[in-house]
Amino acid sequence: MIEDILRTLSLTGEQSGAGNGSWLTCTGEVMESVSPIDGQTIGRVRSASREDCESVSAAALRAFDTWKMVPAPKRGEIVRQIGNAFRAYKKELGALVSLEMGKIRAEGEGEVQEMIDMADFAVGQSRMLYGLTMHSERPGHRMYEQWHPIGPVGVITAFNFPVAVWSWNAMIALAAGDTVIWKPSSKVPLCAIATMNIVWKVLRENGLPEGILSLVVGKHETVGEALISDPRIPLISATGSVRMGRHIGQTVKERLGKTLLELGGNNAIIVTPSANLQLAVRAILFGAVGTAGQRCTTTRRLIVHQSIYPALVEALLKAYSHVRIGDPLEESTLMGPLIDREAVESMQTALKHAQDEGGRILYGGEILSGGLFDTGTYVTPCICEAGPDLSIVKEETFAPILYLIRYDTIEEAIQYHNAVPQGLSSAIFTNNLKEAEVFLSHRGSDCGIANVNVGTSGAEIGGAFGGEKDTGGGREAGSDAWKAYMRRQTCTINWSDDLPPAQGIRFKTT
Ligand code: NAD
C-alpha cells in the first residue's frame, strides 16, 4: 500500500532535494524520511547545498520577471488548475501526510482539502487585489493606491502541517504575482517533494517558465540561512517555534526585509458556569488530543469555573479513556504517534517539571510500548491539574498535555488566560452574553483568534490566521492577508495645468 502511494506521487528511488520546475542534481548529504508510525524509512532525499540554493533563487528571480507580467486573473486561472490537481491527488497526498507526519488519515486528507480551499480562495482573490482611491487636497489632482507583486517569497514551514501551510502562502503569493521558494521541515521532506511533482506538471502544461514554484530541502543551517539572508528575497514567511522566529526575524530585519511570522501558541479555553458542558468536552477533546497535541492551535490550558470543575473533570476523564491510540492510517484511530522520540522526551520533561512545581497528573502521560508502540513515539494524552503560575504552563510543549486551572471570577479567568507570552488562539464556552462579549472585547482575550462556543483549533481559511505577542504578529490565508505578499504604491496624477504643492507651501522664484 505504501509503495502504491509513493508510486502515484512519483516518489520512487532517491529524491532530489532542490528544484525549480524540474529536479536539480543535488550535492548535499542524504537525509532519511522516517515514519513515526513504525520507525521505517519511507524515502531518501539528497539535500540541497548552498550552490543548489543559489540556482533555485536565481531561477525564482528570473521567473518573477515573467510571472508578474501575467495579468492577475490569468494567474488565478493557473491557481484554479493547481487546485484541481490537488483534488485529483487528495487521497494519496493525504495518506502521505499521515505516513510521514503521523496525524490520522482524516486530518491528513483535511490538510489537502485546505490546500484546495486555499486555491479556490486565491482564484477569487486574483480578481480582488483592490486599492483605494483618495480625494486630493490639490485642485485637478487624483490619488490612488495600487498593489504590485513583491518578488520571490521564501516560505519556511513546520513539520506539523507538511503541506497546508505552504498552500496558505503559495496560493495567495501566486495570485499576487510572486514566485515562491519553499523550505519545508527536514522531518517531512517527501510531502513537499510530492506537492512539487503535482504543481510543476500544471505549470509545464501551461508553458510557464521554471522557477515560479521552487523547493529547497536540507538543514536549516545551510538552506534556511541561505534563504533568510538573501537580499533578493524581499519577504520571508516562516512558521515554527518562537526560537526560530526570533532568529529569522532578526536576520531578515538586519537586511531590512519583510517577515511574516507564524509561531508557537499556548491556547486556552475558558469554561464558565453557563457553558454547555457536552459541547465544551467535544471541543476540548478535539483541541487537546487532535493531531496528538501537535497543532499550533492545540488547546493546552483549560481555565474552569470552580462550580463546574468536578463535573467537567469527570466528563473529560471519561472522554479521554475512549481515545483510541494507534496506527493513524486505521480509521478507528483518534490519536497517532508524536513526530519522534525527542518530542516524547520533551513531553516527559515537561510533566516532571509540572509535578516538581506542584502539578498533579489526573490522566495519562505514559509512553506506550509493545508491538507498533515499540517505536517509542506513542504516548497517552495527559490531563494535569495545575496552578496558573506554574512556569511550565507558560511554555508551549508540543505534545498532548492539557493543564487544568480553576477560577472564581471572569476577570480572574481572563487574567490567567492572558498571562502567557504567546497569543495565538483562544476560546470561551458560555451561554452568558456579557461574558462572551467581555472575552471578545479589548478587555478580554489578547490572541489573534478568539472564539465563542468553538474550540481553539480547526480554523477556517476565510479568516486571517495568526497571533500576537510571541506568536509573531503575522497573518496568513483569508481576509486581507494577501496584502503582505504585495508592495503598496501611492500614486498622484496631476491633470491640471498648474503645480500647486500640498500643505499650501509657496515655492516660486517670481
Ligand atoms: P521549528 O521551529 O523547529 O522549525 C520550523 C521550520 O523552521 C523548519 O522548516 C526548520 O527547519 C526551520 N528553521 C529552524 N531554524 C531555522 C533557521 N535558523 N533558519 C531558517 N529556518 C529555520 O518548528 P517545528 O518543530 O517544525 O514546528 C513546531 C512549531 O511550529 C510549534 O512551535 C508550533 O506552534 C509552530 N507552528 C506555528 C503555526 C502558526 O501558524 N502559528 C503553525 C504550525 C506550527
Tab-separated table of all heavy atoms in Angstrom, residues 156-161 165 168 183-187 218 220 224-225 228 239-244 247-248 262-265 295-296 396 398 424 465 471 476, ligand 1:
chain	number	residue	atom	x	y	z
A	156	ILE	N	9.052	29.170	4.820
A	156	ILE	CA	9.656	28.154	5.695
A	156	ILE	C	8.535	27.540	6.526
A	156	ILE	O	7.761	28.277	7.147
A	156	ILE	CB	10.716	28.812	6.613
A	156	ILE	CG1	11.853	29.357	5.742
A	156	ILE	CG2	11.232	27.836	7.662
A	156	ILE	CD1	12.883	30.177	6.493
A	157	THR	N	8.424	26.215	6.493
A	157	THR	CA	7.270	25.606	7.180
A	157	THR	C	7.692	24.599	8.250
A	157	THR	O	8.784	24.048	8.210
A	157	THR	CB	6.328	24.909	6.172
A	157	THR	OG1	7.076	23.975	5.400
A	157	THR	CG2	5.670	25.908	5.250
A	158	ALA	N	6.776	24.366	9.185
A	158	ALA	CA	6.997	23.462	10.321
A	158	ALA	C	6.573	22.039	9.942
A	158	ALA	O	5.881	21.828	8.953
A	158	ALA	CB	6.183	23.955	11.512
A	159	PHE	N	6.974	21.078	10.793
A	159	PHE	CA	6.694	19.672	10.457
A	159	PHE	C	5.222	19.308	10.584
A	159	PHE	O	4.744	18.383	9.938
A	159	PHE	CB	7.532	18.741	11.351
A	159	PHE	CG	6.949	18.530	12.723
A	159	PHE	CD1	5.968	17.563	12.941
A	159	PHE	CD2	7.332	19.314	13.803
A	159	PHE	CE1	5.403	17.385	14.190
A	159	PHE	CE2	6.780	19.143	15.061
A	159	PHE	CZ	5.810	18.175	15.253
A	160	ASN	N	4.488	20.062	11.443
A	160	ASN	CA	3.164	19.562	11.833
A	160	ASN	C	2.080	19.797	10.777
A	160	ASN	O	1.039	19.154	10.813
A	160	ASN	CB	2.734	20.151	13.184
A	160	ASN	CG	2.560	21.648	13.133
A	160	ASN	OD1	3.253	22.335	12.397
A	160	ASN	ND2	1.636	22.153	13.908
A	161	PHE	N	2.321	20.728	9.863
A	161	PHE	CA	1.432	20.889	8.712
A	161	PHE	C	2.298	20.817	7.453
A	161	PHE	O	2.669	21.832	6.881
A	161	PHE	CB	0.636	22.202	8.796
A	161	PHE	CG	-0.595	22.068	9.636
A	161	PHE	CD1	-0.553	22.304	10.999
A	161	PHE	CD2	-1.796	21.650	9.076
A	161	PHE	CE1	-1.684	22.140	11.792
A	161	PHE	CE2	-2.927	21.476	9.859
A	161	PHE	CZ	-2.872	21.721	11.221
A	165	VAL	N	0.281	24.608	5.205
A	165	VAL	CA	0.817	25.950	5.488
A	165	VAL	C	1.507	26.531	4.248
A	165	VAL	O	1.388	27.721	3.958
A	165	VAL	CB	1.757	25.911	6.712
A	165	VAL	CG1	2.547	27.201	6.824
A	165	VAL	CG2	0.946	25.692	7.988
A	168	TRP	N	-1.218	27.990	2.144
A	168	TRP	CA	-1.737	29.292	2.621
A	168	TRP	C	-0.911	30.409	2.010
A	168	TRP	O	-1.437	31.451	1.619
A	168	TRP	CB	-1.585	29.435	4.129
A	168	TRP	CG	-2.414	28.542	4.991
A	168	TRP	CD1	-3.323	27.603	4.601
A	168	TRP	CD2	-2.388	28.509	6.415
A	168	TRP	NE1	-3.853	26.996	5.693
A	168	TRP	CE2	-3.300	27.533	6.815
A	168	TRP	CE3	-1.680	29.212	7.375
A	168	TRP	CZ2	-3.534	27.234	8.151
A	168	TRP	CZ3	-1.902	28.924	8.707
A	168	TRP	CH2	-2.824	27.938	9.087
A	183	LYS	N	11.063	26.133	1.819
A	183	LYS	CA	11.945	25.279	2.616
A	183	LYS	C	11.087	24.566	3.657
A	183	LYS	O	10.676	25.149	4.652
A	183	LYS	CB	13.034	26.089	3.330
A	183	LYS	CG	14.130	25.174	3.878
A	183	LYS	CD	14.724	25.639	5.193
A	183	LYS	CE	14.075	25.131	6.444
A	183	LYS	NZ	13.950	23.683	6.627
A	184	PRO	N	10.782	23.284	3.411
A	184	PRO	CA	9.937	22.566	4.373
A	184	PRO	C	10.773	22.069	5.550
A	184	PRO	O	12.004	22.130	5.517
A	184	PRO	CB	9.436	21.382	3.547
A	184	PRO	CG	10.545	21.111	2.574
A	184	PRO	CD	11.205	22.433	2.278
A	185	SER	N	10.109	21.547	6.572
A	185	SER	CA	10.818	20.920	7.687
A	185	SER	C	11.524	19.663	7.183
A	185	SER	O	10.961	18.889	6.403
A	185	SER	CB	9.813	20.553	8.781
A	185	SER	OG	10.385	19.609	9.659
A	186	SER	N	12.741	19.439	7.671
A	186	SER	CA	13.509	18.247	7.250
A	186	SER	C	12.851	16.962	7.758
A	186	SER	O	13.233	15.872	7.353
A	186	SER	CB	14.923	18.312	7.808
A	186	SER	OG	15.509	19.512	7.427
A	187	LYS	N	11.881	17.101	8.662
A	187	LYS	CA	11.209	15.900	9.175
A	187	LYS	C	10.162	15.372	8.192
A	187	LYS	O	9.725	14.233	8.309
A	187	LYS	CB	10.537	16.208	10.524
A	187	LYS	CG	11.574	16.529	11.604
A	187	LYS	CD	10.938	16.901	12.925
A	187	LYS	CE	12.042	17.272	13.921
A	187	LYS	NZ	11.542	17.769	15.184
A	218	GLY	N	16.743	20.680	3.149
A	218	GLY	CA	18.066	20.497	3.752
A	218	GLY	C	18.103	21.095	5.133
A	218	GLY	O	17.097	21.606	5.637
A	220	HIS	N	18.594	23.511	8.218
A	220	HIS	CA	18.315	24.951	8.236
A	220	HIS	C	19.601	25.761	8.286
A	220	HIS	O	19.663	26.881	7.809
A	220	HIS	CB	17.340	25.317	9.355
A	220	HIS	CG	17.870	25.162	10.750
A	220	HIS	ND1	18.776	26.018	11.281
A	220	HIS	CD2	17.596	24.246	11.713
A	220	HIS	CE1	19.046	25.647	12.521
A	220	HIS	NE2	18.355	24.568	12.799
A	224	GLY	N	18.218	26.999	5.075
A	224	GLY	CA	17.434	28.022	5.772
A	224	GLY	C	18.181	29.339	5.801
A	224	GLY	O	17.648	30.394	5.449
A	225	GLU	N	19.451	29.273	6.207
A	225	GLU	CA	20.249	30.505	6.305
A	225	GLU	C	20.423	31.153	4.939
A	225	GLU	O	20.390	32.385	4.816
A	225	GLU	CB	21.621	30.206	6.930
A	225	GLU	CG	21.568	29.851	8.411
A	225	GLU	CD	21.023	30.964	9.300
A	225	GLU	OE1	21.216	32.146	8.984
A	225	GLU	OE2	20.354	30.630	10.303
A	228	ILE	N	17.113	33.025	4.213
A	228	ILE	CA	16.742	34.201	5.008
A	228	ILE	C	17.736	35.351	4.871
A	228	ILE	O	17.398	36.498	5.119
A	228	ILE	CB	16.515	33.858	6.506
A	228	ILE	CG1	17.796	33.349	7.177
A	228	ILE	CG2	15.391	32.863	6.653
A	228	ILE	CD1	17.612	33.032	8.662
A	239	THR	N	6.972	29.719	9.543
A	239	THR	CA	6.075	29.082	10.509
A	239	THR	C	6.891	28.111	11.343
A	239	THR	O	7.583	27.254	10.784
A	239	THR	CB	4.968	28.313	9.767
A	239	THR	OG1	4.246	29.234	8.977
A	239	THR	CG2	4.022	27.639	10.741
A	240	GLY	N	6.824	28.232	12.659
A	240	GLY	CA	7.564	27.309	13.515
A	240	GLY	C	7.654	27.826	14.931
A	240	GLY	O	6.793	28.595	15.381
A	241	SER	N	8.702	27.411	15.624
A	241	SER	CA	8.836	27.751	17.043
A	241	SER	C	9.204	29.224	17.241
A	241	SER	O	9.708	29.875	16.325
A	241	SER	CB	9.933	26.877	17.654
A	241	SER	OG	11.144	27.106	16.963
A	242	VAL	N	8.986	29.713	18.445
A	242	VAL	CA	9.317	31.103	18.778
A	242	VAL	C	10.833	31.314	18.640
A	242	VAL	O	11.291	32.336	18.125
A	242	VAL	CB	8.844	31.430	20.211
A	242	VAL	CG1	9.331	32.800	20.650
A	242	VAL	CG2	7.313	31.347	20.293
A	243	ARG	N	11.601	30.313	19.038
A	243	ARG	CA	13.074	30.417	18.948
A	243	ARG	C	13.491	30.659	17.493
A	243	ARG	O	14.283	31.544	17.190
A	243	ARG	CB	13.688	29.107	19.479
A	243	ARG	CG	15.198	29.145	19.643
A	243	ARG	CD	15.647	27.930	20.456
A	243	ARG	NE	14.993	26.705	19.992
A	243	ARG	CZ	15.480	25.909	19.050
A	243	ARG	NH1	16.603	26.183	18.463
A	243	ARG	NH2	14.830	24.815	18.676
A	244	MET	N	12.924	29.842	16.593
A	244	MET	CA	13.234	30.002	15.173
A	244	MET	C	12.793	31.390	14.687
A	244	MET	O	13.514	32.070	13.971
A	244	MET	CB	12.517	28.887	14.390
A	244	MET	CG	12.554	28.974	12.899
A	244	MET	SD	11.385	30.139	12.206
A	244	MET	CE	9.862	29.263	12.310
A	247	HIS	N	15.127	34.265	15.596
A	247	HIS	CA	16.349	34.272	14.781
A	247	HIS	C	16.050	34.793	13.368
A	247	HIS	O	16.750	35.673	12.858
A	247	HIS	CB	16.934	32.854	14.717
A	247	HIS	CG	18.077	32.752	13.758
A	247	HIS	ND1	19.318	33.279	14.031
A	247	HIS	CD2	18.155	32.237	12.508
A	247	HIS	CE1	20.114	33.076	12.995
A	247	HIS	NE2	19.439	32.447	12.052
A	248	ILE	N	14.996	34.268	12.774
A	248	ILE	CA	14.674	34.681	11.402
A	248	ILE	C	14.274	36.159	11.383
A	248	ILE	O	14.701	36.927	10.514
A	248	ILE	CB	13.570	33.777	10.805
A	248	ILE	CG1	14.152	32.375	10.584
A	248	ILE	CG2	13.020	34.349	9.495
A	248	ILE	CD1	13.220	31.373	9.960
A	262	GLU	N	4.636	33.152	11.908
A	262	GLU	CA	3.532	32.354	12.474
A	262	GLU	C	4.166	31.389	13.462
A	262	GLU	O	4.617	30.307	13.083
A	262	GLU	CB	2.819	31.563	11.362
A	262	GLU	CG	2.134	32.418	10.324
A	262	GLU	CD	0.813	33.006	10.811
A	262	GLU	OE1	0.359	32.662	11.918
A	262	GLU	OE2	0.245	33.812	10.070
A	263	LEU	N	4.202	31.770	14.738
A	263	LEU	CA	4.995	30.997	15.698
A	263	LEU	C	4.111	30.281	16.724
A	263	LEU	O	2.906	30.163	16.530
A	263	LEU	CB	6.009	31.944	16.355
A	263	LEU	CG	6.786	32.801	15.338
A	263	LEU	CD1	7.714	33.780	16.032
A	263	LEU	CD2	7.549	31.940	14.340
A	264	GLY	N	4.733	29.833	17.782
A	264	GLY	CA	4.047	28.961	18.729
A	264	GLY	C	2.825	29.566	19.419
A	264	GLY	O	2.685	30.782	19.522
A	265	GLY	N	1.971	28.698	19.899
A	265	GLY	CA	0.775	29.123	20.627
A	265	GLY	C	0.728	28.444	21.989
A	265	GLY	O	1.435	27.471	22.242
A	295	ARG	N	-0.578	20.717	17.167
A	295	ARG	CA	-1.053	21.824	16.341
A	295	ARG	C	-0.631	23.109	17.028
A	295	ARG	O	-0.601	23.159	18.271
A	295	ARG	CB	-2.582	21.830	16.257
A	295	ARG	CG	-3.161	20.868	15.256
A	295	ARG	CD	-4.649	21.129	15.142
A	295	ARG	NE	-5.268	20.143	14.272
A	295	ARG	CZ	-6.165	20.439	13.340
A	295	ARG	NH1	-6.577	21.674	13.175
A	295	ARG	NH2	-6.690	19.498	12.590
A	296	CYS	N	-0.381	24.147	16.232
A	296	CYS	CA	-0.069	25.428	16.874
A	296	CYS	C	-1.283	25.903	17.666
A	296	CYS	O	-1.156	26.635	18.642
A	296	CYS	CB	0.334	26.451	15.832
A	296	CYS	SG	-0.844	26.592	14.489
A	396	GLU	N	5.059	26.447	25.598
A	396	GLU	CA	4.382	25.559	24.651
A	396	GLU	C	5.182	24.255	24.580
A	396	GLU	O	6.295	24.235	24.057
A	396	GLU	CB	4.339	26.194	23.253
A	396	GLU	CG	3.657	25.301	22.215
A	396	GLU	CD	4.008	25.676	20.764
A	396	GLU	OE1	5.203	25.867	20.470
A	396	GLU	OE2	3.087	25.757	19.942
A	398	PHE	N	5.136	20.819	22.767
A	398	PHE	CA	4.413	20.364	21.571
A	398	PHE	C	3.997	18.892	21.710
A	398	PHE	O	4.537	17.992	21.058
A	398	PHE	CB	5.285	20.593	20.338
A	398	PHE	CG	4.522	21.111	19.164
A	398	PHE	CD1	3.680	22.201	19.286
A	398	PHE	CD2	4.630	20.498	17.915
A	398	PHE	CE1	2.951	22.676	18.206
A	398	PHE	CE2	3.915	20.972	16.826
A	398	PHE	CZ	3.074	22.063	16.985
A	424	LEU	N	-1.907	33.137	20.289
A	424	LEU	CA	-2.469	32.658	19.020
A	424	LEU	C	-3.991	32.485	19.082
A	424	LEU	O	-4.745	33.328	18.636
A	424	LEU	CB	-1.769	31.358	18.593
A	424	LEU	CG	-2.222	30.736	17.271
A	424	LEU	CD1	-2.167	31.729	16.126
A	424	LEU	CD2	-1.392	29.502	16.930
A	465	PHE	N	-5.325	34.253	9.573
A	465	PHE	CA	-4.842	33.353	10.616
A	465	PHE	C	-3.517	33.861	11.174
A	465	PHE	O	-2.599	34.155	10.409
A	465	PHE	CB	-4.646	31.943	10.047
A	465	PHE	CG	-4.191	30.950	11.071
A	465	PHE	CD1	-5.109	30.209	11.796
A	465	PHE	CD2	-2.846	30.773	11.328
A	465	PHE	CE1	-4.685	29.310	12.769
A	465	PHE	CE2	-2.413	29.875	12.298
A	465	PHE	CZ	-3.334	29.144	13.016
A	471	THR	N	3.738	34.934	19.350
A	471	THR	CA	3.281	34.191	18.163
A	471	THR	C	3.720	34.906	16.892
A	471	THR	O	3.690	34.311	15.808
A	471	THR	CB	1.755	33.951	18.240
A	471	THR	OG1	1.483	33.252	19.455
A	471	THR	CG2	1.234	33.119	17.089
A	476	GLU	N	-1.992	35.040	7.826
A	476	GLU	CA	-1.974	34.297	6.567
A	476	GLU	C	-3.380	33.879	6.190
A	476	GLU	O	-4.314	34.009	6.973
A	476	GLU	CB	-1.127	33.020	6.739
A	476	GLU	CG	0.353	33.282	6.723
A	476	GLU	CD	1.177	32.040	7.032
A	476	GLU	OE1	0.598	30.988	7.363
A	476	GLU	OE2	2.402	32.132	6.939
B	1	NAD	P1	10.885	24.588	14.224
B	1	NAD	O1	10.981	25.990	14.674
B	1	NAD	O2	11.832	23.615	14.792
B	1	NAD	O3	11.062	24.520	12.626
B	1	NAD	C1	10.193	25.198	11.753
B	1	NAD	C2	10.893	25.436	10.434
B	1	NAD	O4	11.904	26.412	10.629
B	1	NAD	C3	11.608	24.202	9.874
B	1	NAD	O5	11.498	24.198	8.473
B	1	NAD	C4	13.034	24.437	10.312
B	1	NAD	O6	13.993	23.760	9.518
B	1	NAD	C5	13.128	25.943	10.113
B	1	NAD	N1	14.212	26.601	10.847
B	1	NAD	C6	14.577	26.404	12.130
B	1	NAD	N2	15.606	27.222	12.430
B	1	NAD	C7	15.878	27.938	11.304
B	1	NAD	C8	16.847	28.931	10.957
B	1	NAD	N3	17.757	29.317	11.831
B	1	NAD	N4	16.827	29.451	9.713
B	1	NAD	C9	15.918	29.054	8.817
B	1	NAD	N5	14.991	28.089	9.067
B	1	NAD	C10	14.979	27.555	10.302
B	1	NAD	O7	9.365	24.120	14.468
B	1	NAD	P2	8.721	22.671	14.295
B	1	NAD	O8	9.152	21.812	15.423
B	1	NAD	O9	8.896	22.182	12.915
B	1	NAD	O10	7.152	23.022	14.438
B	1	NAD	C11	6.516	23.206	15.653
B	1	NAD	C12	6.362	24.667	15.987
B	1	NAD	O11	5.734	25.366	14.925
B	1	NAD	C13	5.467	24.902	17.186
B	1	NAD	O12	6.024	25.904	17.977
B	1	NAD	C14	4.146	25.345	16.570
B	1	NAD	O13	3.335	26.094	17.424
B	1	NAD	C15	4.646	26.150	15.419
B	1	NAD	N6	3.618	26.309	14.401
B	1	NAD	C16	3.004	27.523	14.293
B	1	NAD	C17	1.972	27.693	13.373
B	1	NAD	C18	1.270	29.009	13.256
B	1	NAD	O14	0.608	29.221	12.241
B	1	NAD	N7	1.359	29.909	14.214
B	1	NAD	C19	1.590	26.638	12.543
B	1	NAD	C20	2.253	25.423	12.667
B	1	NAD	C21	3.270	25.275	13.604
